[in-house]
Amino acid sequence: MIRLGLLTSNVAASDAIEQMAQDAGIFELVYRSSAIAATDSEVRQLCSADPDIILVEISDWQRMSPVAARINRESRRGAVVGFRRDWSSEEQKSFAEAGIVELLHEPFSPMDLEKAAHRAVHRRQPLTHPNILAFLPSKAGSGCTTGA
């Protein structure tokens, strides 16, 4: 199960996303807030719920920019995914600077949410093996003697 935190001021969208998460069967909604003011205590509550994905409505980017940056700083493992109707390339750069690792066009389907969640988790916590420097195949003709 992917643990999901949700911040949106739109109550109808919040209800729809919660229903979508339940129907998809791979999300567990662990935090939901419609108060976008996101005080320090609300950010602490969100981060203490320890979601894997934090889905944030970014329609009002001026107000949400510092909130997204604070969540990104304080969350141990949660990847921030933003959603809104559309955005420009300049806005996309500012989203990335604030720590939003994935963007969703509104409205989105359960499959879109699932794909975005997987991409965001892997961008935030890439799978690497620290003790493997290179993989050299040992099949004849692969060039392994040249590489070694």
Side-chain angles (χ1 to χ4, degrees):
M1 293 287 268
I2 298 173
R3 297 169 55 84
L4 180 68
L6 175 61
L7 292 176
T8 178
S9 59
N10 185 339
V11 178
S14 179
D15 292 340
I17 292 169
E18 182 177 8
Q19 186 64 43
M20 181 189 317
Q22 288 175 353
D23 292 346
I26 65 162
F27 295 102
E28 175 188 1
L29 189 64
V30 295
Y31 184 84
R32 176 181 167 178
S33 177
S34 59
I36 296 298
T39 62
D40 288 336
S41 65
E42 287 183 30
V43 171
R44 279 192 298 274
Q45 285 178 340
L46 169 64
C47 293
S48 69
D50 200 24
D52 299 311
I53 298 296
I54 303 163
L55 193 58
V56 178
E57 177 189 8
I58 54 174
S59 304
D60 185 359
W61 181 238
Q62 295 299 329
R63 192 170 63 177
M64 287 308 296
S65 175
V67 174
R70 191 175 336 137
I71 290 169
N72 191 46
R73 277 193 312 270
E74 294 186 21
S75 178
R76 289 189 304 238
R77 66 178 183 164
V80 181
V81 175
F83 68 95
R84 74 189 258 186
R85 292 228 178 261
D86 60 0
W87 53 83
S88 67
S89 59
E90 293 83 25
E91 288 175 318
Q92 188 169 355
K93 289 176 188 173
S94 68
F95 299 155
E97 289 169 2
I100 295 178
V101 295
E102 189 65 37
L103 297 168
L104 279 171
H105 283 282
E106 205 175 13
F108 49 88
S109 69
M111 186 58 75
D112 294 337
L113 180 58
E114 183 178 344
K115 288 178 184 177
H118 286 287
R119 283 191 306 264
V121 165
H122 291 294
R123 283 185 183 157
R124 179 75 188 241
Q125 301 170 346
L127 295 175
T128 59
H129 298 285
N131 56 350
I132 296 179
L133 299 175
F135 175 75
L136 299 174
S138 61
K139 184 176 179 233
S142 65
C144 65
T145 56
T146 307

